[in-house]
Amino acid sequence: MADPNAFIINTTYTPIPDGPHRDGAPEILRRPVKETLMVFTGLIMLGFFMALIISDKAPSTYHIHAQGSVGNGNGSSFDTSKDEVKPSDTLQPVSRGSSAGVSEKSNRVFGGVGGRAYPWNNSVLSWQRTAFHFQPEKNWMNGPLFYKGWYHIFYQYNPKAAIWGNIVWGHAVSRDLIHWLHLPLAMVADQWYDINGVWTGSATILPNGRIVMLYTGSTNESVQVQNLAFPADHNDPLLINWVKYSGNPVLFPPAGIDSKDFRDPTTAWHTIDGKWRLTIGSKINDTGIALVYDTKDFINYELLGSILHGVHGTGMWECVDFYPVSKTGKNGLDTSDNGSGVKHVVKASLDDDRHDYYALGTYDEKTGKWVPDEANIDVGIGIRYDYGIFYASKTFYDQDKQRRVLWGWIGESDSEAADVKKGWASLQGIPRTVLLDTKTGSNLLQWPVEEVQSLRLSSKKFEKVQVKPGSVVPLAVGPATQLDIIAEFELDKEGLKRTAEANVEFSCSTSGGAAQRGALGPFGLLVLADDGLSEQTPVYFYIAKGTDGNLKTFFCTDQSRSSAASDVNKRIYGSFLPVLKGENLSLRILVDHSIVESFGQGGRSCITARVYPTKAIYGDARVFLFNNATETTVTASLEIWQMSSALIHPFPGEKGTQ
């Protein structure tokens, strides 16, 4: 526990005089008198950012060779070691972000030959742009709020280049979280207290319906401070114009906190004594912490003597999120909700490893402290929102549909040179609803918002397809770069019984991927695969049978053969997946060009992958079922939808998004 005396506010930092300022404090800054709706607008700060013609008759079967690779009997297999890639320009990425006190923002070369980039061409790079995920038309970006019938997303954006830097607030609106209209920039770095970047912020909607926005600014001396802004016109449902409070900054780093370790204020929640409470991420040495502040007017703040929570060894906590989930209900909860039927979630984005971790626990409003249900799965050492590329996420309460919605920033995992060449980098994941998994009681369920289904076009069903050990089955689905896949798998019960027990530890990330054969796995789907399977991205289950006879299930995504390119991420992602007695294995996959989002067992575990195939694109992309197990036959039932593109429009009168 941190020393409370270390949190006495010390404003030894002396700001320089700034230029002309937007005057006027908001009228709404007064003590609230009733329960409120609070909605997050997390400006997400860190991070990094044709038809397949196959007969409808019985599908062809591919076979798995003894060494574990998959081929079609004609010499093609998973093994791409014979493919010689000719490197082009040498890459020397410039470090970005670290000097400002945030995580590294340069895309590094993954597996490049001699540090050289793959020779991307415009056709391949054009294919990588997604069709139904939100992203700006160009350059670099890095959450949302519901107001007067519109969903708003404010996002960190570099209007000058497809790399991190020159951070301002982009702004877009939507009626359904799918189709978007870009608006003019909401805020730019034009004051001494945010001249080095308008960073993460969160909004709170007050009882009178008005909005206050707190955000982190990086000052002219790279000190992280908290600032206040509000809409210029609360009657404008699009919230186009914003005004910065003339008394900014409203919060400086307290004593004991480094000037570059004080960022990302949360949405505020209402306390029983009529105050607003919020948290801000920080660290003390290598202990990640969430500071707690109370305020009555969003101008004057009281730092509580204790932190909300902290975990030793987790480093800087960025983009902290704090919200309630119902123990019994199927609806989301307002941020202020509390009581015996509620658990509270604390989530932190770890600056050290760029992953988002959460834990469930109990919140004591009197002390301002939160305690995890299980210490061994605490924040930063336990469960992650997503086991792939997913960072700086935030939730907001959608009061219109009574749901809590999660957004995550999805960075790139190719080279920075490729980002510059294609002219854009990073995007937002599909928004997800978040609920407590009442069956396990120990994890959350994340699922794509229902509006995604409005993009579904024609579908094909495959019922009770038997996939024998060591085989691959092509699925005739037509174009395979924009898909929504729902699948369920049953294992041969006799195979389960005869499988020998083994004291073998398994990990998705350290295994040999989909090519490593075991008695009960891997099995699942190959997406974004070419005919010869030289490129493919497996999404799969692996089951280990312990010496006690119990089964342990893992959910994985293998990028090791996703691309012939040499300068992209080819890691294997995944985690343990809770599967209860009597449940069949199920998954959902959203494929949208260079992003593959996978949800296992109703969203108990999620994996987001960025993949950059060079062959399995346009009309050459395929989908296959596969079973690389040695002891069991798998029976799969699937429905696969073609997906339409979302409509993302520029602001009227503007040539581009910004």
Side-chain angles (χ1 to χ4, degrees):
M1 180 61 64
D3 179 4
N5 293 324
F7 298 117
I8 299 173
I9 295 181
N10 180 0
T11 57
T12 56
Y13 167 74
T14 303
I16 64 172
D18 57 337
H21 213 292
R22 304 175 191 180
D23 294 325
E27 297 177 1
I28 52 177
L29 303 181
R30 58 178 181 270
R31 180 169 177 163
V33 294
K34 61 180 180 179
E35 290 298 326
T36 97
L37 297 174
M38 286 173 293
V39 180
F40 162 77
T41 83
L43 191 93
I44 298 184
M45 176 177 101
L46 299 173
F48 346 148
F49 306 101
M50 161 124 81
L52 166 61
I53 303 174
I54 300 177
S55 171
D56 288 333
K57 298 178 182 180
S60 303
T61 300
Y62 287 52
H63 299 285
I64 296 180
H65 305 311
Q67 69 269 29
S69 62
V70 178
N72 60 8
N74 297 320
S76 298
S77 74
F78 277 118
D79 188 2
T80 61
S81 59
K82 296 181 181 179
D83 294 338
E84 184 175 350
V85 178
K86 295 182 179 180
S88 59
D89 298 330
T90 300
L91 291 180
Q92 295 181 340
V94 176
S95 178
R96 297 181 178 87
S98 300
S99 62
V102 297
S103 58
E104 179 63 59
K105 292 297 192 302
S106 295
N107 287 355
R108 298 296 172 177
V109 176
F110 294 90
V113 179
R116 295 177 180 271
Y118 181 83
W120 299 100
N121 61 55
N122 288 334
S123 177
V124 176
L125 293 176
S126 296
W127 176 88
Q128 293 176 7
R129 188 169 182 85
T130 61
F132 55 87
H133 285 72
F134 176 81
Q135 59 187 127
E137 284 186 354
K138 61 181 181 178
N139 300 340
W140 192 94
M141 69 160 290
N142 138 283
L145 113 96
F146 184 81
Y147 187 73
K148 294 186 182 293
W150 291 89
Y151 293 98
H152 292 253
I153 180 169
F154 302 90
Y155 56 93
Q156 290 194 33
Y157 176 65
N158 181 354
K160 298 181 180 180
I163 57 177
W164 188 85
N166 310 301
I167 299 302
V168 299
W169 276 22
H171 184 195
V173 292
S174 172
R175 290 286 194 183
D176 59 6
L177 290 171
I178 302 298
H179 306 288
W180 292 90
L181 170 67
H182 283 285
L183 297 178
L185 295 177
M187 283 195 284
V188 298
D190 61 357
Q191 302 295 328
W192 68 265
Y193 51 77
D194 61 13
I195 197 66
N196 280 318
V198 181
W199 290 357
T200 301
S202 296
T204 301
I205 296 183
L206 300 184
N208 57 11
R210 296 197 171 191
I211 301 168
V212 291
M213 181 82 75
L214 282 173
Y215 73 93
T216 298
S218 180
T219 74
N220 57 298
E221 296 181 4
S222 296
V223 175
Q224 294 172 10
V225 296
Q226 312 312 313
N227 305 302
L228 175 65
F230 50 95
D233 181 5
H234 283 88
N235 293 318
D236 175 14
L238 299 184
L239 302 174
I240 291 178
N241 297 312
W242 289 78
V243 176
K244 298 176 183 178
Y245 173 51
S246 60
N248 281 336
V250 293
L251 278 172
F252 292 87
I257 298 298
D258 191 271
S259 62
K260 294 182 179 180
D261 296 330
F262 182 65
R263 54 186 179 268
D264 312 340
T266 64
T267 295
W269 64 94
H270 202 198
T271 65
I272 55 176
D273 59 0
K275 297 179 181 178
W276 294 98
R277 182 168 290 173
L278 58 94
T279 70
I280 297 174
S282 189
K283 70 174 182 177
I284 297 178
N285 297 321
D286 65 347
T287 297
I289 63 173
L291 302 167
V292 183
Y293 287 88
D294 281 355
T295 182
K296 295 181 180 180
D297 56 11
F298 289 88
I299 296 175
N300 302 290
Y301 294 83
E302 175 190 358
L303 177 63
L304 270 62
S306 61
I307 59 175
L308 179 72
H309 192 57
V311 179
H312 178 69
T314 56
M316 177 66 195
W317 282 14
E318 301 181 313
C319 300
V320 173
D321 206 2
F322 177 75
Y323 58 91
V325 289
S326 173
K327 293 180 180 179
T328 57
K330 294 184 178 181
N331 290 332
L333 298 178
D334 179 88
T335 311
S336 294
D337 287 343
N338 202 354
S340 58
V342 167
K343 284 183 179 288
H344 275 85
V345 177
V346 171
K347 167 263 170 184
S349 301
L350 299 195
D351 192 17
D352 288 353
D353 70 5
R354 304 175 199 167
H355 296 310
D356 283 13
Y357 295 81
Y358 75 87
L360 297 164
T362 302
Y363 167 63
D364 185 336
E365 185 172 280
K366 291 183 179 179
T367 63
K369 295 181 179 180
W370 173 91
V371 178
D373 288 346
E374 299 181 48
N376 63 325
I377 52 174
D378 205 343
V379 180
I381 60 174
I383 307 174
R384 283 164 49 182
Y385 271 156
D386 192 292
Y387 288 85
I389 300 176
F390 188 91
Y391 192 64
S393 61
K394 282 286 191 175
T395 66
F396 77 102
Y397 177 64
D398 177 0
Q399 69 269 38
D400 184 52
K401 294 195 172 183
Q402 297 184 348
R403 60 185 177 179
R404 183 157 291 273
V405 178
L406 168 70
W407 280 70
W409 172 72
I410 314 301
E412 301 294 325
S413 60
D414 58 353
S415 69
E416 195 168 87
D419 294 344
V420 172
K421 187 170 184 178
K422 67 189 178 187
W424 58 271
S426 68
L427 60 148
Q428 292 286 346
I430 287 294
R432 309 170 180 179
T433 58
V434 180
L435 291 170
L436 176 68
D437 185 348
T438 55
K439 291 182 179 180
T440 66
S442 60
N443 57 272
L444 298 173
L445 296 175
Q446 303 169 60
W447 200 246
V449 293
E450 61 184 1
E451 289 88 342
V452 173
Q453 297 174 197
S454 67
L455 295 174
R456 288 175 173 174
L457 300 172
S458 60
S459 71
K460 288 194 176 182
K461 290 185 178 181
F462 303 86
E463 298 287 351
K464 304 292 183 180
V465 180
Q466 284 200 341
V467 191
K468 295 181 179 180
S471 63
V472 177
V473 179
L475 300 174
V477 300
T481 59
Q482 293 175 213
L483 300 175
D484 187 354
I485 304 171
I486 291 182
E488 188 171 275
F489 298 86
E490 297 179 61
L491 274 68
D492 175 17
K493 294 181 180 179
E494 293 301 317
L496 290 175
K497 291 180 181 179
R498 65 174 176 264
T499 299
E501 300 168 355
N503 186 22
V504 178
E505 294 294 327
F506 180 84
S507 167
C508 295
S509 60
T510 59
S511 71
Q516 177 176 317
R517 305 191 70 180
L520 302 176
F523 58 87
L525 286 151
L526 307 178
V527 299
L528 296 177
D530 66 337
D531 274 329
L533 297 176
S534 63
E535 288 186 338
Q536 41 76 28
T537 299
V539 180
Y540 59 94
F541 298 100
Y542 187 100
I543 299 175
K545 190 173 185 179
T547 54
D548 56 2
N550 291 327
L551 302 177
K552 194 172 183 180
T553 304
F554 298 84
F555 183 51
C556 316
T557 295
D558 179 1
Q559 296 184 149
S560 62
R561 299 170 182 86
S562 62
S563 176
S566 57
D567 56 348
V568 301
N569 184 330
K570 295 186 179 181
R571 296 172 183 162
I572 302 169
Y573 298 124
S575 71
F576 165 74
L577 177 67
V579 179
L580 304 182
K581 186 176 181 180
E583 291 182 340
N584 286 331
L585 295 174
S586 64
L587 62 77
R588 182 177 183 182
I589 306 174
L590 294 175
V591 179
D592 186 8
H593 295 259
S594 61
I595 183 171
V596 178
E597 294 181 271
S598 305
F599 305 83
Q601 223 58 15
R604 285 182 189 147
S605 182
C606 307
I607 307 171
T608 299
R610 296 300 308 278
V611 296
Y612 308 91
T614 63
K615 304 172 187 176
I617 60 177
Y618 298 108
D620 294 326
R622 307 285 187 261
V623 179
F624 300 84
L625 280 169
F626 82 97
N627 178 13
N628 212 1
T630 60
E631 300 292 336
T632 184
T633 294
V634 175
T635 301
S637 296
L638 310 88
E639 186 165 9
I640 302 177
W641 288 266
Q642 295 291 328
M643 295 290 278
S644 179
S645 298
L647 301 176
I648 302 178
H649 296 290
F651 188 64
E654 296 188 1
K655 295 181 180 180
T657 57
Q658 303 295 350

